């Protein structure tokens, strides 16, 4: 029979055993082996926590026997005795899961104190003030944490003594005062529990270990795990460790530090220290701690000893450490080390510096980057100090990252007007946005919409522009006409200052100061290293020269999606698109198209020029009609602009009305009905390519047909496009390579991937539509109920944000395999919003895609995520 090892002495385990010993326990073991001074102790494994729950909330007799045996070993190691009348061993009992869950679980300090141990300690230390102080701390902590005594019951005792004696701070209390506090606390616990305070240290220890196991399953711990994706079955370990005291007098103290500055990454020891204090005094913030530099001045010898250990720890862990330490009577002990949390900017600086110091290889440096923190470096963020008083009014979907403040406006026209007149910073709040809002979106700092999800118009446009956006904010109600909005019943008139955070989805009242992002040299270095490592291509979704240039700056290798309908958002152009849509005969449509052609020609020429030598994939028109048609109340004005009668426009709108525009007459369906649209676009693309090629630049145009469900649609349209393109190229008499491919964004197209592969030179997955159609969740409406789905754990993530690997992913895998079999030369990528999301990027890498394409501001994230996917899956 294999003997179960339930407990590890510090030094028996290693840092790799986090799953079994928890993060804290594994690192304490490791430090002990390294020779770092850590107080003696042992770790009860996480498996024992799982056992505790499996036994219905009880520890096994075997574990209790092992605890007695290991406590004996502790006595031998320390030379002290648990419950001794002369030299008692005192213990701390702390939780420690695989990943840190700060403040979520319980800790008990000074365990082992009893009336007789107190007497022994007083005799040994000659310091009754200190001993009574730690006894009262222990009684309160044990009473509250282990025995469930209400904390309010302890409240008045200390305050009364201070008041009666006119003391300002705790340090003024005398030994007699602390004794009085402890005695009163003992009575409080006895009264509340109906039993005297336990005077057997072993009973205290068993009760404390139970309490730590119980704290794994408190509601707050469960919520924390849900929020942070920590599995409920992991359980916590328990660390039982000899107490060392930072509060025995002025020769003692306690501190917390980071081995590098966690905000900037600067190589400097950064933290705080308090003389004559226990760790919780720093956290509680009752006294003002010293900066470490001040501590170094007062105690240079210990400081030197400490920094030598820190250098050693960094070299050993190859990472910045977050350390807790205590000095007892001039002797230094380390109580904890772990990899320190840091800002995105600090993470990057530390990775690059550690490579230069020889601590990390380039690969390790790239792997150490928290890819989700990169966003902080690309968008404004709120100033941390300013956040202290911020009040969250409501939360929507975190649709496009960054922070912004400004006065609220409810219409794009008004936004443009106010901006023009006053230049003030504005935030656009709308029920939803449409192409007509583009003017307002350009002048505003950020957007909030009541409806819509992660792939709504507002979300997609915001990401493209690098502005922040909160969508699907259901508690919001906007009364545009009367110029106010309400959030949970409270009214806010137009021009009220607000702040929004598209990284969290939070909406705040008032102005919160923001900080601009910094694109540091180290960041560029990490991007360069990541680019060398990754094998997946990273391209950009860009519809204009500005976005293309931004994407290039971030390292885009081409344009993977140019949404041509986005090129018509401009007021003058939208009119021609509307003319084209409402035309009831080919002649009128061709007339409208002829007006659009020069605009397209100019746009494409700019894109090809900007992207010289790189692929530019232009998708043929795919306007969900409702996004381009006027609302009923806009009919009179739009009819006037179009030069037709309002009744005629109204009738046309009725004919064009669709019940499900997202599943309606859009994409290639529009082109099948009106091939002249594709012909015009193919002309514009090839004419632009010829012009740029003639100017001596290399052009690589790709023409992409959207939303096919059958290969016949692709064949039908390809014939028109090819004929148009080949004729133009022949006329120009130059060599010009172009490709025709398609998007796979309907489940049927994915199912017939083998056939699609035979016809297409490339495939790009439109995972926004593919998600919509696979789940049957409308992209425009899913925001309303998806939050509920997440809360009730029906689905783990918003499938419009992170690709659903199980369902949608299966279609992608199958289609990729079949398309590559029928056409080994085919190039396959993805251009849905998932192309910039790290977990999706990992999936696309594993599936063997050639590239991902995402909004310009997500390119750095995609590059690092692609490199990490390569390293992870090697
Ligand atoms: C998609 O559907 O994933 C896509 C890229 O196209 P759009 O978002 O424009 O529908
Ligand atoms: Mg699509």
């Amino acid at each position: 029979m294999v003997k179960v090892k339930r407990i590890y002495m510090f030094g028996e385990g290693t840092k790799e055993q986090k799953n079994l010993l928890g993060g804290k326990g594994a690192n304490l073991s490791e430090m002990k082996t390294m020779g770092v001074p850590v107080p003696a102790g042992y770790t009860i494994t996480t498996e024992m926590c799982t056992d505790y729950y499996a036994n219905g909330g009880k520890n096994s007799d075997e574990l209790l026997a092992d605890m007695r045996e290991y406590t004996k070993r502790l006595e031998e190691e320390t030379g002290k005795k648990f419950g001794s009348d002369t030299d008692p061993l005192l213990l701390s009992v702390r939780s420690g899961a695989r990943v840190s869950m700060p403040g979520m679980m319980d800790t008990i300090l000074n365990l082992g104190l009893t009336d007789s141990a107190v007497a022994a300690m007083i005799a040994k230390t000659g310091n009754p003030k200190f001993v009574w102080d730690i006894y009262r701390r222990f009684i309160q902590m044990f009473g509250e944490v282990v025995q469930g005594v209400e904390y309010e019951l302890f409240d008045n005792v200390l305050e009364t003594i201070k008041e009666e004696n006119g003391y300002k701070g705790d340090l003024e209390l005398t030994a007699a005062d602390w004794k009085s506090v402890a005695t009163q606390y003992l009575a409080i616990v006895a009264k509340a529990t109906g039993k005297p305070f336990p005077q057997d240290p072993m009973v205290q220890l068993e009760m404390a270990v139970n309490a730590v196991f119980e704290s794994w399953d408190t509601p707050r711990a469960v919520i924390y795990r849900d929020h942070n994706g920590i599995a409920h079955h992991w359980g916590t370990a328990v660390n039982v460790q000899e107490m060392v005291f930072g509060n025995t007098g002025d020769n003692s103290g306690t501190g917390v530090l980071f081995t590098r500055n966690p905000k900037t990454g600067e190589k400097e020891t950064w933290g705080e220290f308090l003389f004559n204090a226990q760790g919780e005094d720093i956290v509680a913030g009752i006294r003002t701690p010293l900066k470490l530099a001040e501590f170094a001045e007062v105690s240079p010898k210990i400081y030197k000893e400490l920094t030598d250990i820190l250098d050693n720890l960094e070299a050993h862990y190859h990472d910045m450490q977050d350390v807790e330490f205590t000095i007892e009577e001039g002797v230094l002990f380390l109580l904890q080390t772990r990899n320190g949390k840091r800002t995105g900017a600090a993470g990057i600086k530390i990775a690059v510096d550690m490579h230069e110091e020889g601590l990390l290889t380039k690969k390790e440096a790239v792997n150490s980057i928290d890819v989700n923190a990169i966003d902080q470096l690309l968008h404004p963020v709120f100033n941390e100090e300013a956040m202290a008083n911020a009040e969250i009014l409501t939360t929507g979907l975190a649709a496009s990252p960054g922070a912004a403040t400004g006065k609220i406006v409810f219409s794009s026209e008004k936004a443009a007007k106010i901006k023009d007149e006053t230049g003030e910073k504005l935030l656009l709040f709308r029920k939803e946005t449409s192409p007509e809002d583009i003017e307002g979106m350009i002048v505003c700092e950020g957007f909030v919409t009541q409806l819509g999800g992660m792939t709504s118009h507002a979300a997609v446009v915001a990401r493209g522009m690098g502005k922040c956006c909160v969508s699907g904010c259901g508690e919001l109600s906007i009364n545009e006409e009367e110029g106010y909005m309400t959030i949970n019943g409270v009214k806010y008139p137009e021009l009220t200052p607000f702040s929004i955070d598209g990284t969290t989805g939070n909406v705040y009242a008032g102005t919160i100061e923001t900080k601009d992002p910094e694109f540091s040299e180290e960041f560029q270095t990490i991007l360069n290293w990541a680019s060398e490592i990754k094998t997946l291509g990273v391209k950009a979704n860009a519809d204009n020269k500005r976005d293309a240039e931004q994407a290039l700056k971030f390292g885009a290798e081409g344009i993977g999606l140019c949404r041509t309908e986005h090129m018509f958002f401009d007021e003058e152009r939208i009119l021609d698109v509307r003319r084209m849509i409402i035309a009831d005969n080919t002649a009128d449509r061709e007339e409208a198209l002829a007006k659009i052609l020069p605009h397209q020609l100019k746009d494409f020429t700019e894109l090809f020029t900007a992207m010289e030598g790189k692929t530019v994939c232009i998708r043929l028109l795919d306007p969900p009609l409702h996004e381009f048609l006027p609302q009923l109340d806009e009919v009179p004005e739009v009819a006037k602009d179009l030069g037709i009668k309002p009744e005629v426009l109204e009738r046309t709108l009725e004919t064009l009305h669709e019940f499900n525009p997202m599943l309606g007459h859009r994409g290639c369906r529009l082109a099948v009905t009106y091939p002249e649209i594709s012909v015009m676009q193919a002309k514009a693309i090839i004419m632009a390519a010829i012009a740029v090629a003639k100017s001596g630049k290399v052009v690589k145009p790709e023409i992409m047909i959207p939303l096919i469900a059958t290969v016949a649609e692709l064949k039908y349209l390809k014939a028109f496009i090819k004929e148009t393109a080949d004729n133009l190229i022949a006329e120009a008499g130059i060599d010009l390579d172009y490709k025709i491919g398609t998007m796979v964004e309907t489940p049927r197209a994915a199912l017939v991937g083998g056939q699609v592969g035979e016809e297409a030179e490339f495939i790009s997955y439109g995972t926004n539509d593919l998600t919509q159609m696979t789940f049957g969740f409308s992209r425009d409406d899913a925001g309303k109920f998806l939050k509920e789905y997440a809360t009730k754990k029906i689905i783990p993530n918003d499938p419009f944000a992170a690709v659903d690997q199980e369902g949608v992913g299966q279609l992608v895998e199958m289609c990729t395999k079949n398309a590559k079999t029928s056409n080994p030369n085919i190039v396959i990528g993805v251009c849905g919003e998932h192309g910039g999301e790290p977990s999706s990027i990992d999936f696309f890498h594993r599936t063997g895609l050639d590239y991902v394409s995402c909004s310009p501001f997500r390119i750095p994230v995609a590059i690092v995520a692609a490199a990490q996917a390569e390293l992870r899956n090697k």
Side-chain angles (χ1 to χ4, degrees):
M1 214 175 77
V2 186
K3 189 167 174 339
V4 182
K5 188 161 168 60
R6 301 178 187 87
I7 299 183
Y8 286 67
M9 288 304 284
F10 292 172
E12 282 192 302
T14 67
K15 67 180 190 319
E16 282 74 31
Q17 285 176 296
K18 288 200 174 72
N19 294 359
L20 186 67
L21 303 178
K24 187 190 292 248
N27 285 330
L28 281 164
S29 248
E30 186 82 12
M31 282 200 286
K32 179 94 178 179
T33 309
M34 287 170 68
V36 173
V38 294
Y42 61 74
T43 305
I44 304 174
T45 68
T46 53
E47 289 174 357
M48 293 301 102
C49 182
T50 321
D51 270 15
Y52 174 88
Y53 283 103
N55 291 340
K58 210 170 147 298
N59 283 318
S60 65
D61 291 343
E62 290 83 359
L63 175 63
L64 295 178
D66 282 0
M67 277 162 56
R68 279 191 287 276
E69 186 197 322
Y70 277 79
T71 306
K72 272 219 177 64
R73 290 204 204 172
L74 266 190
E75 290 176 340
E76 281 157 24
E77 195 174 329
T78 58
K80 295 178 182 167
K81 212 161 160 20
F82 205 33
S84 153
D85 287 347
T86 51
D87 193 5
L89 170 66
L90 301 189
L91 300 175
S92 66
V93 179
R94 295 171 203 260
S95 58
R98 299 186 188 191
V99 288
S100 142
M101 293 170 49
M104 289 299 124
M105 289 185 290
D106 288 336
T107 290
I108 299 103
L109 302 177
N110 307 321
L111 187 135
L113 277 176
T114 58
D115 293 346
S116 59
V118 164
M121 293 258 317
I122 292 174
K124 185 186 152 208
T125 61
N127 189 348
K129 179 175 164 180
F130 156 70
V131 179
W132 285 112
D133 178 19
I134 59 170
Y135 195 28
R136 67 92 197 180
R137 288 178 193 245
F138 172 55
I139 301 161
Q140 179 172 6
M141 211 175 217
F142 194 89
E144 276 177 32
V145 172
V146 180
Q147 299 179 290
V149 179
E150 302 277 336
Y151 71 89
E152 289 96 347
L153 294 178
F154 298 97
D155 255 6
N156 292 330
V157 178
L158 190 54
E159 285 317 306
T160 311
I161 288 187
K162 281 208 253 181
E163 248 174 57
E164 280 172 7
N165 293 287
Y167 300 148
K168 289 193 197 71
D170 287 5
L171 287 180
E172 291 176 55
L173 269 77
T174 63
D177 293 329
W178 285 127
K179 182 176 176 182
S180 162
V181 174
T183 316
Q184 292 183 59
Y185 279 5
L186 283 173
I188 288 168
V189 173
K191 186 162 172 228
T193 61
K195 280 182 275 193
F197 190 80
Q199 293 291 329
D200 176 344
M202 207 59 215
V203 170
Q204 291 178 356
L205 180 60
E206 287 171 13
M207 289 171 77
V209 170
N210 282 5
V212 173
F213 283 157
E214 286 290 330
S215 72
W216 172 256
D217 240 11
T218 56
R220 65 174 181 187
V222 173
I223 292 170
Y224 184 89
R225 286 201 292 276
D226 279 341
H227 191 71
N228 291 282
I230 300 171
H232 296 298
H233 67 268
W234 285 352
T236 178
V238 185
N239 296 293
V240 177
Q241 188 174 22
E242 184 194 3
M243 283 295 304
V244 284
F245 294 98
N247 55 340
T248 57
D250 291 341
N251 202 13
S252 302
T254 186
V256 288
L257 61 81
F258 290 85
T259 53
R260 302 192 184 216
N261 186 318
K263 289 189 184 177
T264 61
E266 242 12 271
K267 191 167 166 33
E268 59 182 0
T269 317
W270 191 91
E272 293 175 329
F273 182 81
L274 264 180
F275 278 112
N276 196 9
Q278 274 199 328
E280 71 227 45
D281 300 334
I282 293 198
V283 183
I286 301 165
R287 284 159 54 198
T288 312
L290 296 179
K291 295 276 160 266
L292 278 180
E294 299 169 80
F295 166 59
E297 257 175 51
V298 185
S299 299
K301 204 167 140 268
I302 298 186
Y303 186 73
K304 165 88 173 60
E305 188 190 344
L306 177 66
T307 46
D308 286 349
I309 292 173
L310 298 179
D311 288 346
N312 204 350
L313 283 174
E314 271 207 348
H316 188 76
Y317 280 89
H318 299 262
D319 203 345
M320 180 258 253
Q321 296 297 295
D322 165 0
V323 166
E324 286 176 22
F325 66 98
T326 285
I327 296 160
E328 184 185 69
E329 305 290 339
V331 182
L332 173 67
F333 294 96
L334 266 74
L335 301 185
Q336 169 158 313
T337 191
R338 60 184 168 191
N339 295 342
K341 293 216 184 321
R342 63 209 76 180
T343 62
I348 285 182
K349 175 150 179 54
I350 291 170
V352 173
D353 284 355
M354 284 199 162
H355 172 69
E356 276 161 17
E357 292 159 29
L359 289 177
L360 297 177
T361 62
K362 282 184 189 174
K363 284 180 183 168
E364 286 166 340
V366 169
N367 227 359
S368 76
I369 302 297
D370 174 1
V371 72
N372 294 310
I374 293 182
D375 262 338
Q376 295 170 7
L377 308 176
L378 304 171
H379 305 277
V381 287
F382 287 128
N383 210 327
E384 261 170 56
E385 285 98 63
M387 285 301 284
N389 301 319
E391 182 200 354
I392 301 175
L393 291 182
T394 183
T395 302
L397 297 172
S400 180
T405 77
K407 293 184 172 172
I408 54 175
V409 280
F410 309 124
S411 93
S412 291
E413 275 171 18
K414 205 145 185 200
K417 192 163 164 277
I418 296 172
K419 187 78 190 178
D420 201 35
E421 287 167 5
T422 67
E424 284 178 317
K425 285 189 174 176
L426 301 170
L427 296 175
L428 183 64
F429 279 59
R430 300 276 294 158
K431 191 167 176 197
E432 58 194 334
T433 62
S434 74
E436 275 186 283
D437 284 308
I438 198 65
E439 214 188 343
M441 295 177 96
I442 288 171
V443 299
C444 287
E445 310 299 310
F447 329 121
V448 177
T449 63
Q450 183 188 339
L451 304 178
M454 297 296 278
T455 60
S456 64
H457 177 266
V460 170
V461 172
R463 268 177 235 140
M465 289 180 167
K467 293 192 179 183
C468 67
C469 172
V470 175
S471 65
C473 206
E475 288 170 343
L476 191 74
S477 167
I478 294 167
N479 189 330
E480 189 185 327
E481 253 156 46
E482 295 188 20
Y484 70 87
M485 68 175 185
T486 58
I487 297 177
N488 292 323
V490 182
K491 248 184 177 181
Y492 299 93
E494 201 151 46
L495 299 182
T496 307
F498 259 66
S499 301
I500 62 173
D501 187 341
T503 312
T504 58
N506 291 337
V507 175
Y508 303 87
T511 304
I512 308 174
E513 206 181 305
T514 56
K515 281 193 300 209
D516 279 339
E518 289 160 28
F519 199 76
S520 66
E521 213 176 286
E522 286 94 353
F523 190 17
Q524 191 56 58
T525 306
I526 287 287
L527 287 181
N528 294 348
W529 292 347
S531 297
E532 284 165 22
I533 295 165
K534 72 179 181 56
T535 50
L536 192 65
V538 175
K539 301 190 188 187
N541 292 356
D543 317 319
N544 53 50
K545 185 172 149 229
R546 184 198 63 208
D547 290 356
E549 283 170 350
Q550 182 65 61
L552 279 175
K553 253 192 234 161
F554 285 145
E557 293 154 43
I559 289 181
L561 172 65
C562 165
R563 289 178 165 105
T564 49
E565 63 282 0
H566 283 192
M567 300 169 123
F568 299 114
F569 286 164
D570 174 296
E571 219 174 299
E572 188 195 331
R573 296 182 182 194
I574 203 169
L575 203 63
D576 290 326
V577 177
R578 284 177 168 159
R579 251 190 212 114
M580 174 192 82
I581 294 172
I582 63 167
D584 59 2
N585 60 70
T586 312
D588 282 359
R589 192 167 309 104
E590 284 190 338
E591 196 187 316
L593 286 169
K595 288 203 175 135
I596 297 171
L597 182 97
H599 293 307
Q600 292 262 272
L601 191 56
K602 177 171 170 285
D603 292 340
F604 297 146
T605 308
E606 280 179 2
L607 272 188
F608 290 140
T609 309
M611 298 302 295
E612 181 182 6
K614 298 190 162 66
T615 55
V616 176
C617 180
I618 294 167
R619 175 177 79 183
L620 300 184
L621 207 59
D622 178 14
L625 282 184
H626 69 297
E627 282 190 8
F628 279 83
L629 293 172
Q631 304 291 324
L632 271 185
D633 61 345
E634 296 165 315
V635 164
E637 204 186 323
V638 176
K640 199 166 138 222
D641 291 346
L642 289 169
I644 57 173
K645 289 198 177 118
E647 309 83 76
V648 176
L649 180 57
E650 224 165 278
R651 251 195 327 265
T652 316
L653 288 182
E654 267 169 38
T655 343
L656 290 173
H657 173 77
E658 292 181 317
F659 287 102
N660 274 316
M662 269 296 181
L663 302 178
H665 199 187
R666 56 178 281 223
C668 67
R669 301 161 199 173
L670 200 62
V672 167
T673 326
Y674 311 119
E676 53 274 25
I677 300 178
S678 303
V679 170
M680 178 282 289
Q681 290 204 290
K683 242 190 215 169
I685 294 167
I686 298 300
M687 282 163 69
I690 291 172
V692 176
K694 280 191 170 163
S695 76
K697 293 190 164 164
V698 178
V699 205
K700 295 184 177 169
E702 297 179 340
I703 302 174
M704 182 154 78
I705 298 169
L707 216 74
I708 63 157
T710 71
V711 79
E713 290 166 316
L714 174 58
K715 273 190 192 164
Y716 178 76
L717 292 170
K718 203 172 118 181
F720 283 100
I721 296 164
K722 202 163 164 12
E723 189 189 340
T724 309
D726 290 348
N727 285 343
L728 284 168
I729 294 169
E731 258 171 47
I734 62 166
D735 253 356
L736 180 76
D737 266 347
Y738 68 95
K739 284 187 175 161
I740 302 177
T742 189
M743 294 186 74
V744 167
E745 41 191 346
T746 68
R748 194 185 185 286
L751 290 166
V752 297
Q755 294 173 25
V756 175
E758 283 169 20
E759 283 302 318
E761 288 176 275
F762 64 89
I763 283 176
S764 180
Y765 293 105
T767 45
N768 303 333
D769 276 312
L770 193 58
T771 301
Q772 163 170 264
M773 295 192 214
T774 305
F775 277 90
F777 289 168
S778 153
R779 285 165 69 169
D780 288 340
D781 300 314
K784 279 188 209 151
F785 55 83
L786 275 182
K787 246 203 238 165
E788 201 69 21
Y789 268 51
T791 324
K792 296 187 172 153
K793 301 200 194 77
I794 309 262
I795 46 174
N797 297 306
D798 180 342
F800 290 104
V803 77
D804 157 49
Q805 300 183 19
E806 194 179 60
V808 175
Q810 211 180 115
L811 289 170
V812 171
E813 270 169 340
M814 184 176 61
C815 177
T816 304
K817 189 165 151 262
N818 293 338
K820 287 203 168 179
T821 308
S822 66
N823 176 0
N825 294 325
I826 196 161
V827 176
I828 304 187
V830 58
C831 62
E833 292 302 305
H834 305 92
E837 192 280 324
S839 72
S840 313
I841 290 173
D842 190 80
F843 172 77
F844 297 132
H845 172 90
R846 280 184 276 122
T847 309
L849 261 51
D850 298 298
Y851 68 89
V852 293
S853 186
C854 57
S855 348
F857 283 87
R858 285 176 127 186
I859 284 182
V861 173
I863 290 177
V864 176
Q868 292 184 348
E870 170 72 21
L871 296 170
R872 202 176 295 127
N873 298 296
K874 251 208 158 130

